Amino acid sequence: MQNDITLKIALDSFGIYIKRTSKMLDGFSDELLEQEVSPNKNTGHYLLGHLIAVHDNMLPLLGFGESLYPQLAEVFIKNADKSALQKPSIVQLRAQWNEVNTLLLSNLELLTATQWFEKHTAVSDEDFAKEPHRNKLNVVLSRTSHLAYHVGQLALLKQ
Amino acid sequence: MQNDITLKIALDSFGIYIKRTSKMLDGFSDELLEQEVSPNKNTGHYLLGHLIAVHDNMLPLLGFGESLYPQLAEVFIKNADKSALQKPSIVQLRAQWNEVNTLLLSNLELLTATQWFEKHTAVSDEDFAKEPHRNKLNVVLSRTSHLAYHVGQLALLKQ
């Protein structure tokens, strides 16, 4: 019962932040997303790509299959905004944002309580035995904060 | 057992974000905190006050006693940065940030598993019976995301 409540809180909270981000993105033109959130800082374009790459990587991390767009990690995680690498267009990223999060949330909704407390795939059996908090719930909670961190920055594009 | 793990994740995650914020604040001069995080947006000064006011309000919300600095809510929650209200100095706010969070975290560490799942004080018994997720754990998780949201903005002050 307490577990069910916790898992509802965690999943709702992640889902609400994703919805809030989607709504914000819908309200931003492509031109606005090309702007930096503050002078000489990341653009909305980069932050959108970064969030997709991080959420896409949650698919294998949570055992939901392969990443849909593993090539995004090179541009949006391993390299900075001002790298010379070419970024996929904002139009393309908007579609990928929706696709990746829809797949992720639909998989999360099917997790049983037992599965939420299983290890994520980046931790070994040995380490998990010593550190049982490195579970799937932990991944979702930490990605919720990660999303909030960057949504706070994206919100600065509002005019 | 699973509850204990969840509560450890939630408390660690809140504590880590607070520590990360403290470290960032320590690295910022008062002059830097007076700057806006992006042109015409909130200053570091306002965001610091806002975070203290919100965390201070967690004390009564979680049943830990009265707020230490209830007057901060007027300046930093009910009013915007550009209001004509006078703000306490950054020196004073730095001390209050540490004081409020130390008290908050020490109280959270003493909560029993049962207490984490009890209602917070802003929800009635009737509503809690229908919405059992409105508990203390929920408050801490949502305040962790709130903190992350604004830390993402404060980080833009880095030069």
Side-chain angles (χ1 to χ4, degrees), chain B residues 68-120:
Chain B
L68 297 181
Y69 303 106
Q71 69 277 16
L72 295 180
E74 189 62 30
V75 186
F76 294 113
I77 297 180
K78 293 180 199 156
N79 282 281
D81 195 356
K82 307 325 187 216
S83 79
L85 294 177
Q86 205 191 336
K87 297 179 182 64
S89 73
I90 290 178
V91 172
Q92 201 172 334
L93 291 175
R94 287 182 189 275
Q96 292 174 345
W97 166 261
N98 289 325
E99 187 185 5
V100 166
N101 286 305
T102 302
L103 182 61
L104 185 56
L105 288 174
S106 64
N107 272 284
L108 282 171
E109 273 159 21
L110 296 176
L111 280 185
T112 64
T114 308
Q115 288 172 324
W116 274 95
F117 291 96
E118 286 169 359
K119 76 181 191 66
H120 60 70

Side-chain angles (χ1 to χ4, degrees), chain A residues 2-140:
Chain A
Q2 286 182 340
N3 270 347
D4 291 348
I5 293 172
T6 302
L7 301 174
K8 176 183 165 45
I9 295 171
L11 185 53
D12 281 0
S13 154
F14 189 52
I16 285 167
Y17 257 98
I18 287 175
K19 201 176 282 188
R20 186 175 168 177
T21 312
S22 298
K23 204 178 153 184
M24 191 182 283
L25 292 170
D26 287 347
F28 288 172
S29 66
D30 293 359
E31 291 68 33
L32 191 60
L33 281 170
E34 291 293 3
Q35 307 294 314
E36 293 168 335
V37 298
S38 184
N40 305 314
K41 303 294 177 178
N42 289 325
T43 58
H45 190 166
Y46 182 82
L47 290 177
L48 171 57
H50 177 70
L51 289 172
I52 300 166
V54 169
H55 288 199
D56 195 35
N57 186 48
M58 290 173 73
L59 295 168
L61 196 56
L62 295 170
F64 298 156
E66 298 292 306
S67 291
L68 298 181
Y69 303 105
Q71 69 278 15
L72 295 180
E74 189 63 30
V75 186
F76 295 112
I77 298 181
K78 293 180 199 157
N79 283 281
D81 195 355
K82 310 320 188 217
S83 78
L85 294 177
Q86 203 190 339
K87 296 179 183 63
S89 72
I90 291 178
V91 172
Q92 199 172 336
L93 291 174
R94 286 182 189 274
Q96 292 175 343
W97 164 260
N98 289 325
E99 186 186 5
V100 166
N101 286 306
T102 301
L103 181 62
L104 184 56
L105 288 174
S106 64
N107 272 284
L108 283 171
E109 272 159 23
L110 296 176
L111 280 186
T112 64
T114 308
Q115 289 172 324
W116 274 95
F117 292 96
E118 286 170 0
K119 78 182 190 67
H120 59 70
T121 61
V123 62
S124 69
D125 288 335
E126 296 71 37
D127 287 346
F128 188 61
K130 286 176 282 183
E131 301 175 305
H133 59 280
R134 297 175 72 179
N135 56 31
K136 294 177 181 175
L137 174 62
N138 198 340
V139 171
V140 171

